[in-house]
Amino acid sequence: MATFRSFSIAFLVFVIVSNHIVVDANVSKNMVINWGHSQSKIIGDNLQLVLDNSTGSGAKSKRSFLFGSFEARIKLVPGNSAGVVTAYYLSSTGTAHDEIDYEFLGNVTGQPYTIHTNIFAKGVGNREQQFRVWFDPTADFHNYTIHWNPNAVVWYIDGTPIRVFRNYEKQGIAFPNKQGMRIYTSLWNADDWATQGGRVKTNWTNAPFIAGLRQFRPRACYWNGVPSITQCATKSLANWWNSPAYARLSPPQLAKLNEIQRKYKIYDYCKDTMRFNGKMPPECYKAQY
Ligand SMILES: *[C@@H]1O[C@H](CO)[C@@H](O)[C@H](O)[C@H]1NC(C)=O
Ligand SMILES: *[C@@H]1O[C@H](CO)[C@@H](O)[C@H](O)[C@H]1NC(C)=O
Ligand SMILES: *[C@@H]1O[C@H](CO)[C@@H](O)[C@H](O)[C@H]1NC(C)=O
Ligand SMILES: *[C@@H]1O[C@H](CO)[C@@H](O)[C@H](O)[C@H]1NC(C)=O
Ligand SMILES: *[C@@H]1O[C@H](CO)[C@@H](O)[C@H](O)[C@H]1NC(C)=O
């Protein structure tokens, strides 16, 4: 009984201080359609995004968050998807916005998708890294997770970390940690730049293009304005994504990350000296992970 009572009290404290609740991996509970095609729909745990020559489509999370783990299983447009982009990203609103991106750039039949990542802090982006896919992202649903805490942002695919952006705020490099963000997902025509720099155009005879998203699971701290800046940054039991285990990658995770970076990375802004005229962004001189 005593054990039960202390457990109940512990549970109560957990719920009160946690500022978040455990959520189901369920699209209809956590997302709403916010843009586009009338054929797009959310049914139970499935979101269908549709693009044709009239419009693309998109959905967003019902809530805003500050730090957490943002997980979804996504199946990309199959066949000739050149010019078509599927996006899954966090973003705040207003000027000087923060944003953490996954974008999947389609390709002609038989040619590989490009996985495009970027991060904006206080309105400044230009931090792209791109990867070749090492699996067929159109054959099945894969787990794309953005893990965001006060130490770092980590992009994961099927549990493998592919990129890290560390917090170097103390050294004067902006980090997204003072504004709530929502998750957005969308499917749109980007044939002015997406495929081979805009040379390959979307072939509308293949329309409508369809992408699927399911098991969206934001295990994250709810954004409730300014008080959240400190509340969501605490290392409480509830904010498990802030715990020391997630402060740095483990040696096996680092080994996997290095492998992905070595084998599949096709673009890194920190290597693009031409673009920055030799004056690289300051984080490029620091340990990336
Ligand atoms: C998701 O939530 C909806 C609406 O609350 C419910 O009808 C559906 O059964 C849930 N699906 C799963 C897989 O939990
Ligand atoms: C869009 O596609 C439809 C169906 O294929 C076609 O009838 C229509 O002419 C197209 N519209 C434009 C602006 O290309
Ligand atoms: C998806 O990947 C994340 C990050 O590695 C992980 O925490 C989560 O458990 C995975 N989800 C499933 C359903 O395997
Ligand atoms: C598409 O395939 C070509 C040829 O393999 C490749 O050069 C290109 O990077 C791929 N991705 C995109 C988005 O164009
Ligand atoms: C567009 O797709 C159709 C059907 O797959 C194909 O017949 C046609 O040649 C394609 N057009 C171009 C410009 O590639």
Side-chain angles (χ1 to χ4, degrees):
M1 193 59 193
T3 315
F4 177 70
R5 192 175 298 128
S6 51
F7 174 79
S8 311
I9 289 166
F11 185 73
L12 198 66
V13 170
F14 177 87
V15 169
I16 290 167
V17 302
S18 72
N19 196 31
H20 79 297
I21 46 166
V22 177
V23 292
D24 301 332
N26 186 322
V27 172
S28 61
K29 282 201 178 117
N30 303 323
M31 282 186 152
V32 289
I33 287 178
N34 70 333
W35 173 51
H37 206 285
S38 60
Q39 283 168 32
S40 296
K41 50 185 176 269
I42 292 175
I43 297 175
D45 187 28
N46 289 283
L47 165 65
Q48 175 177 287
L49 293 172
V50 178
L51 163 71
D52 69 11
N53 65 4
S54 67
T55 181
S57 57
K60 66 174 184 181
S61 59
K62 291 181 183 171
R63 301 284 306 240
S64 292
F65 309 94
L66 183 64
F67 305 129
S69 167
F70 302 88
E71 173 185 337
R73 299 179 81 83
I74 303 171
K75 188 174 171 199
L76 302 176
V77 174
N80 183 356
S81 58
V84 171
V85 171
T86 309
Y88 177 71
Y89 62 102
L90 284 156
S91 184
S92 64
T93 52
T95 54
H97 84 297
D98 297 332
E99 187 178 317
I100 305 168
D101 301 324
Y102 258 125
E103 284 183 328
F104 307 99
L105 317 186
N107 215 331
V108 292
T109 307
Q111 296 304 317
Y113 263 80
T114 294
I115 300 167
H116 175 98
T117 62
N118 199 2
I119 178 165
F120 289 69
K122 292 190 183 155
V124 179
N126 300 324
R127 297 192 173 101
E128 302 86 354
Q129 278 189 15
Q130 293 185 336
F131 303 84
R132 274 275 171 276
V133 284
W134 55 94
F135 54 93
D136 180 355
T138 70
D140 211 344
F141 288 84
H142 290 267
N143 175 355
Y144 301 93
T145 296
I146 296 170
H147 194 109
W148 169 37
N149 70 25
N151 284 73
V153 173
V154 184
W155 288 255
Y156 289 91
I157 299 179
D158 293 328
T160 301
I162 65 158
R163 177 178 180 182
V164 177
F165 183 82
R166 278 170 65 175
N167 183 349
Y168 284 115
E169 194 175 44
K170 288 202 177 82
Q171 282 97 312
I173 299 163
F175 187 81
N177 57 10
K178 292 178 189 67
Q179 310 184 63
M181 298 204 265
R182 265 179 223 275
I183 277 277
Y184 295 86
T185 181
S186 55
L187 178 63
W188 45 287
N189 176 34
D191 68 1
D192 52 337
W193 65 276
T195 305
Q196 293 163 40
R199 287 190 299 278
V200 181
K201 298 296 170 196
T202 303
N203 185 339
W204 294 110
T205 42
N206 305 313
F209 299 99
I210 296 174
L213 184 150
R214 57 168 69 146
Q215 284 175 269
F216 170 57
R217 186 157 66 137
R219 293 178 292 167
C221 189
Y222 284 152
W223 169 253
N224 288 313
V226 172
S228 302
I229 294 173
T230 43
Q231 279 166 18
C232 292
T234 58
K235 292 187 182 64
S236 63
L237 185 60
N239 294 344
W240 61 267
W241 46 86
N242 295 345
S243 69
Y246 293 92
R248 297 294 299 271
L249 297 182
S250 67
Q253 285 179 317
L254 274 174
K256 282 187 166 176
L257 175 87
N258 275 313
E259 187 188 343
I260 298 285
Q261 290 259 328
R262 195 176 63 244
K263 286 192 189 161
Y264 302 107
K265 190 168 69 183
I266 52 170
Y267 179 80
D268 188 342
Y269 75 110
C270 279
K271 301 270 158 62
D272 197 344
T273 48
M274 291 259 283
R275 174 181 177 188
F276 295 101
N277 210 0
K279 286 191 65 181
M280 306 312 287
E283 68 273 15
C284 296
Y285 297 100
K286 305 193 177 299
Q288 305 277 299
Y289 39 83

